[in-house]
Amino acid sequence: MNYSEALAWLYSLQRFGIKLGLENIRRLIAELNLGPGSARASRAVSGAPPEACTALRVIHVAGTNGKGSVCAMIDSICRAQGYRTALFTSPHLVTFRERIRVNGEMISGDAVADALTKIHDLVRDWDPHPTFFEITTALALKYFSEAKLDIVILETGLGGRLDATNAVQSNVSVITPIALDHQKWLGDSLEKIAAEKAGIIKPKVPVVSAPQKKEVEIVLRQRATECGSAIEFVTAPYEQHRISLPGAHQKLNAALAIAALRREKIDIDDSAIAQGLATVDWPARFQRWDERTIIDGAHNPAAAHVLAQTWREVFGGQRATLVLAILSDKDFQEICEGLAPISDSVLLPKIRSERAAAPEELAQVLSTITPSLPYSITPSIADAIDQARAKPNPILLTGSLHFAGEALAYLRGEPAAFEECAQ
């Protein structure tokens, strides 16, 4: 298969939905020969205890918001120090290849095609068939096992306990702020969601966590105690050097990233921290596209409130022309309530994602909670951006990482480069 054929096959696996569990990924690791001895990097995926993985360090990150930013910061700091890194994140914004990087470089289309061809032939008759995310995780681990690496950074896809990335033996577990999201899969309370995220905590593996609500902290401490794992809550924001990602919350994310490296005794000096944080590139996190256009992937109520706070830090009392698209399984009302106070008017484009809520649904929510806030529905992102640019206010495109990706592809002049994906 070539790249486009391989991606079409992989995307077709989304029909299997999301199935949490480790049986398939463990079988993939075994049958792709990612077990002991196949390569230096594979020692981490073999289930060997952390003391057997001294040459290669694996940092595993779970949480509701900030996972990607923390992973990107760890990666950037380590590369500034001269370490060779691997980074696995999700979802992507524009191209699937963003999810899998070695030393800051995305996996090539040819490498995706070659590995997926092998995996396709391997799993052809499996029952149950591996899911999209299980195959994607296996692809990443296979690619990493063939590279010369010092540090691997893995972001969970959904939850933690039964997420495919949890088949990997880590050296340190990192937990970013936990809030309500993905309740359909993870549970309908903060305690239930925290218990799933806490599933990345492994016996005798240290844990660093962002500040958490009391009920979440109790769950994390209990899991750490059961595992005999030391846990540290990082409460002081990092203030020493400039961070390229705006917002007070990113100072806490930076402190968490540094604490994870310190906990694993990875040798990092102050100049690498300064350089790594100044140059970290993580699009759609309060990304300033131009002087008056901000793109942000906030997609749950907690993230919407943080976004509004960051908007006020940067723009003061200026209100936004809000260009908003939200996925249908999200809490529209609370997201809209979080963003309405910083909005002067709202544009609701129809976007490509099959998971997107209809603009008419969002219009109904807005008219209920803020009847005085003017809104209009547009047939496309292009129309919405044209209308927003005709107004004097700064522009905020937000509501979903999928929407942020489509918007970025459009703004770059490459709408066809957007590889839309439901997961």
Side-chain angles (χ1 to χ4, degrees):
M1 296 187 288
N2 62 27
Y3 176 69
S4 59
E5 290 165 343
L7 206 62
W9 171 70
L10 180 63
Y11 278 22
S12 77
L13 302 182
Q14 292 175 101
R15 70 185 185 276
F16 294 115
I18 294 169
K19 291 177 186 167
L20 297 176
L22 301 180
E23 296 80 8
N24 268 342
I25 187 64
R26 285 176 175 152
R27 185 178 173 191
L28 280 162
I29 286 168
E31 298 205 19
L32 288 168
N33 205 22
L34 300 177
S38 62
R40 188 164 171 244
S42 70
R43 293 170 67 183
V45 300
S46 65
E51 60 270 19
C53 302
T54 49
L56 180 84
R57 268 74 71 87
V58 177
I59 299 172
H60 195 194
V61 183
T64 304
N65 292 313
K67 296 191 297 295
S69 296
V70 169
C71 288
M73 288 175 182
I74 293 171
D75 180 71
S76 187
I77 292 167
C78 289
R79 285 191 288 116
Q81 186 69 38
Y83 291 111
R84 287 188 58 84
T85 64
L87 178 63
F88 178 55
T89 58
S90 60
H92 62 268
L93 291 170
V94 177
T95 172
F96 173 83
R97 295 167 47 232
E98 296 165 25
R99 297 175 184 238
I100 301 169
R101 303 175 197 238
V102 167
N103 241 30
E105 296 292 323
M106 292 189 293
I107 187 172
S108 69
D110 286 347
V112 171
D114 290 348
L116 285 182
T117 299
K118 289 185 180 74
I119 295 171
H120 168 271
D121 294 343
L122 173 69
V123 304
R124 189 192 308 267
D125 300 320
W126 285 23
D127 184 18
H129 197 285
T131 63
F132 168 86
F133 191 72
E134 288 165 344
I135 298 284
T136 302
T137 304
L139 165 63
L141 297 178
K142 179 171 170 50
Y143 187 63
F144 297 161
S145 76
E146 293 158 1
K148 185 179 177 186
L149 299 170
D150 302 306
I151 293 161
V152 176
I153 305 126
L154 300 176
E155 178 191 3
T156 57
L158 183 65
R161 181 174 66 93
L162 298 174
D163 186 79
T165 59
N166 209 29
V168 178
Q169 176 61 54
S170 56
N171 296 83
V172 60
S173 304
V174 183
I175 301 179
T176 68
I178 291 174
L180 291 173
D181 201 2
H182 301 297
Q183 290 96 312
K184 177 179 170 184
W185 292 282
L186 303 180
D188 57 5
S189 70
L190 275 177
E191 291 91 339
K192 288 177 182 173
I193 292 170
E196 290 299 322
K197 309 277 187 191
I200 72 162
I201 300 174
K202 298 181 176 67
K204 303 286 189 290
V205 173
V207 187
V208 293
S209 171
Q212 305 286 358
K213 291 186 175 172
K214 195 69 200 167
E215 59 267 46
V216 171
E217 183 178 330
I218 289 167
V219 172
L220 298 185
R221 286 191 185 278
Q222 185 178 346
R223 170 69 181 173
T225 301
E226 288 167 4
C227 289
S229 302
I231 186 166
E232 171 192 356
F233 287 86
V234 179
T235 55
Y238 179 81
E239 302 281 4
Q240 283 90 317
H241 297 104
R242 186 185 75 83
I243 303 168
S244 67
L245 305 176
H249 62 295
Q250 295 291 9
K251 294 180 179 181
L252 264 173
N253 285 337
L256 188 60
I258 294 162
L261 294 167
R262 297 270 188 250
R263 175 59 69 169
E264 182 41 28
K265 297 183 172 58
I266 294 170
D267 187 23
I268 299 287
D269 58 40
D270 196 53
S271 63
I273 291 172
Q275 184 187 334
L277 293 177
T279 57
V280 62
D281 180 29
W282 202 236
R285 277 70 179 181
F286 212 85
Q287 178 184 357
R288 193 182 277 267
W289 176 259
D290 58 31
E291 203 49 46
R292 56 186 287 243
T293 308
I294 300 293
I295 305 169
D296 193 277
H299 56 279
N300 56 49
H305 286 285
V306 168
L307 170 56
Q309 179 187 331
T310 306
W311 181 272
R312 292 185 188 100
E313 288 171 27
V314 174
F315 288 100
Q318 263 192 302
R319 292 187 172 224
T321 298
L322 178 65
V323 184
L324 184 67
I326 304 174
L327 300 188
S328 59
D329 58 345
K330 301 297 180 180
D331 186 337
F332 312 155
Q333 181 155 336
E334 280 214 42
I335 293 172
C336 290
E337 283 172 357
L339 297 175
I342 60 164
S343 303
D344 180 69
S345 63
V346 187
L347 295 165
L348 303 168
K350 181 168 177 53
I351 66 169
R352 279 173 53 184
S353 174
E354 61 193 42
R355 286 176 59 198
E360 293 77 11
E361 281 185 84
L362 297 181
Q364 197 170 4
V365 170
L366 284 168
S367 62
T368 304
I369 62 172
T370 54
S372 60
L373 184 63
Y375 65 84
S376 59
I377 292 169
T378 71
S380 67
I381 286 179
D383 283 282
I385 290 173
D386 286 348
Q387 288 186 41
R389 284 173 170 166
K391 298 172 188 279
N393 309 66
I395 300 162
L396 175 59
L397 297 103
T398 192
S400 158
L401 283 166
H402 299 265
F403 170 45
E406 187 178 346
L408 275 170
Y410 172 76
L411 288 166
R412 289 173 184 169
E414 300 174 334
F418 177 57
E419 296 170 358
E420 199 273 310
C421 180
Q423 291 181 36

